[in-house]
Amino acid sequence: VADAATSAEWDEVVFFDDRYSGSASPVGPWNLVGSGAALLDSVDLFAGVLVAIGNNEARLAWYRRLHERQATFATIVHPRGWVSSHASLGAGSVVMAGGVVNIGAKGGAATIINTGATVDHDCELGEAVHISPGAHLSGTVRIGHRSWIGAGAIVRQNITIGCGVIIGAGAVVISDIPDDVTAIGVPAKPRL
Ligand SMILES: CC(C)(COP(=O)(O)OP(=O)(O)OC[C@H]1O[C@@H](n2cnc3c(N)ncnc32)[C@H](O)[C@@H]1OP(=O)(O)O)[C@@H](O)C(=O)NCCC(=O)NCCS
């Protein structure tokens, strides 16, 4: 996420994380400068914040905490990603390199469109959805809050996927998936 941010011309990026040990330490080319609590206490100092946690539940919980503190959220699109001017992304979302969000699509807050993933026309994504690398949503797919679409999965057009769903890597989804189900395979079936 930090790499996408700097590529998208955010000039200074720092991390806050509860693994902070009391003094600044490197996270790759960036610095870990404080705990989550420290961010909550200083959030008004930042031009934009984005929760860079892969776990959808944890990302949403932190998004809500920061929202309560009236954080200004960054929405980051890597310069090699593309979002239609007729699509919308939720606050605190990121589109990684090669990610595409096509016309009429709407994303909820704190959503991740990962490397090379495509969200085609008129899709609707809830909050804290994660579309993993190389996954493809055909047109008019609806995905509920906190659902995770695995790497390389394909979802056929007009499908509705519930909340808290996991679609396994490489699955092909050709029927609706209810809430809180893990579905795998081709065609995707709920895991027993
Ligand atoms: C579906 C998934 C969540 C299951 O994870 P898990 O609960 O740890 O499952 P396990 O690895 O223990 O596998 C359980 C069984 O499901 C099978 N299985 C797991 N993932 C599968 C998949 N994607 N497709 C088909 N079968 C799968 C395993 O072969 C195993 O079968 P078995 O019981 O016959 O041996 C995980 O495998 C997956 O696909 N995650 C997505 C990863 C991803 O996209 N990462 C991108 C990060 S950015």
Side-chain angles (χ1 to χ4, degrees), residues 1 5 12-13 25 31 35 44 51 58 70-71 78 95 101 138 151 192:
V1 173
E12 191 180 348
V13 174
S25 58
N31 276 321
S35 63
D44 53 321
V51 185
Q70 298 175 331
H78 189 283
V95 178
V101 180
S138 309
L192 300 175

Side-chain angles (χ1 to χ4, degrees), residues 54 112 114-115 130-133 135 148-153 166-171 182-186 191:
I112 303 169
N114 220 320
T115 314
H130 178 185
I131 312 299
S132 293
W148 178 28
I149 310 301
I166 298 173
I167 303 297
T182 296
I184 57 173
V186 181
R191 194 172 66 172

Side-chain angles (χ1 to χ4, degrees), residues 138-149:
S138 309
T140 328
V141 166
R142 291 183 182 77
I143 300 187
H145 305 312
R146 298 172 283 98
S147 289
W148 178 28
I149 310 301

